[in-house]
Amino acid sequence: MRIVVCIKQVPDTTEVKLDPVKGTLIREGVPSIINPDDKAGLEAALRIKEQAGGTVAVVSMGPSQADVALREALAMGADEAYLVTDRAFGGADTWATSYTLSVAIRKIGFDLIICGRQAIDGDTAQVGPQIAQHLDLPQVSYVEGIERISGNKLVLKRQFEDRYHLLEVELPCVLTALSELNKPRYMSVSGVFEAYREKEVRRLTFEDLKEDIDVANIGLKGSPTNVKQSFTKQPKGKGEKLELEPEEAVLAIVSRLRAKNLI
């Protein structure tokens, strides 16, 4: 089985700051990490490989510094790493990003594609499903468990509000993983040595992909959306505790909801 895992290098959001004038993220001097959902997806791929055999390739689209995240993935046990990078791909929104990644993944080859549910620097949860759309593949999102691998079929536990679904899907397909799916392993000492001394991060540029790319769908010009402003989550105010009898509590809650025009 050939598994491709999409990972993204993101700023550690516990230390993110915003430019007060531009409303954009200040990335300079902010430590970067592998997106948590993506890392869970990588761990899932490594466990499938250990159980069913095959290879794991990681792919990331971004600037040269994403090499560090890819080498961490190699040190965890991935077999191959690909960095999709070129000025022509810069400024891409989720549509252009997913399109470019889908072209690269098709070139790399796959039986199973695993993405994180969403990236903590954007929270759109769009790239994985869009890759499935570009490649015309079935997908299962919000995967919180891999119950069984049988031949070319997977039985998956999918998170769904107050319950879960058990779904069977046939390969090839796309999965989007939750960080709750597993606890990713640490890099091994020998893995770090191999990642920096013996393994290669292969670069895929526009020149490498141009025969299969529609330039109308890449980069800033191929992005139907753009970010107008970024902002941090606002802290919630202190709540109010109502110590009332059940019927009185219901009336009080309904009254407050009506006052806020929520019902």
Side-chain angles (χ1 to χ4, degrees):
M1 185 186 302
R2 183 159 177 76
I3 309 170
V4 174
V5 182
C6 296
I7 68 171
K8 184 179 182 182
Q9 186 184 55
V10 296
D12 187 337
T13 52
T14 60
E15 301 188 38
V16 160
K17 297 180 181 178
L18 292 176
D19 185 312
V21 177
K22 297 179 181 178
T24 56
L25 291 173
I26 299 174
R27 295 178 181 266
E28 292 76 13
V30 178
S32 295
I33 59 173
I34 295 178
N35 182 58
D37 285 353
D38 300 348
K39 204 166 188 178
L42 173 58
E43 176 64 26
L46 295 173
R47 294 185 187 186
I48 293 173
K49 171 190 167 183
E50 290 167 353
Q51 181 177 341
T55 59
V56 174
V58 287
V59 58
S60 184
M61 178 172 156
S64 296
Q65 55 262 38
D67 179 276
V68 176
L70 288 166
R71 293 194 185 277
E72 180 179 347
L74 289 171
M76 287 174 63
D79 302 287
E80 303 169 16
Y82 297 86
L83 177 59
V84 181
T85 185
D86 199 292
R87 287 186 179 274
F89 305 145
D93 69 353
T94 60
W95 172 263
T97 297
S98 62
Y99 172 75
T100 307
L101 282 171
S102 69
V103 174
I105 291 168
R106 197 190 302 273
K107 186 177 184 69
I108 293 167
F110 64 90
D111 295 301
L112 172 63
I113 301 168
I114 304 179
C115 306
R117 168 194 51 175
Q118 62 189 37
I120 58 176
D121 63 346
D123 288 345
T124 64
Q126 293 174 352
V127 171
Q130 287 174 342
I131 288 174
Q133 178 68 25
H134 290 306
L135 295 174
D136 194 24
L137 295 172
Q139 63 157 317
V140 179
S141 58
Y142 286 72
V143 175
E144 66 171 21
I146 298 176
E147 302 295 303
R148 189 166 64 253
I149 305 168
S150 178
N152 70 331
K153 293 182 180 180
L154 302 175
V155 176
L156 306 167
K157 184 178 180 181
R158 179 185 185 270
Q159 188 183 90
F160 185 76
E161 296 181 352
D162 61 341
R163 64 199 71 189
Y164 63 85
H165 294 154
L166 279 180
L167 302 174
E168 183 180 77
V169 62
E170 189 172 337
L171 302 176
C173 65
V174 176
L175 314 181
T176 66
L178 298 173
S179 58
E180 299 97 309
L181 175 58
N182 52 51
K183 183 177 180 180
R185 68 193 67 190
Y186 292 107
M187 298 178 286
S188 67
V189 175
S190 60
V192 173
F193 181 86
E194 291 176 0
Y196 281 90
R197 292 294 184 90
E198 299 179 7
K199 292 184 178 179
E200 175 189 4
V201 174
R202 305 176 195 177
R203 297 200 170 206
L204 295 176
T205 65
F206 176 78
E207 283 298 312
D208 298 311
L209 304 176
K210 66 180 181 181
E211 292 183 3
D212 303 307
I213 272 187
D214 180 352
V215 294
N217 287 324
I218 65 171
L220 183 61
K221 291 183 178 180
S223 299
T225 63
N226 59 74
V227 177
K228 182 177 180 181
Q229 185 180 14
S230 298
F231 50 89
T232 57
K233 292 181 179 179
Q234 298 301 310
K236 293 182 178 180
K238 186 178 180 181
E240 179 183 358
K241 184 177 180 181
L242 301 176
E243 296 184 358
L244 303 170
E245 293 299 318
E247 291 184 0
E248 294 176 330
V250 170
L251 293 174
I253 292 170
V254 169
S255 174
R256 282 162 172 75
L257 291 174
R258 283 177 175 161
K260 294 180 179 293
N261 296 314
L262 295 174
I263 60 173

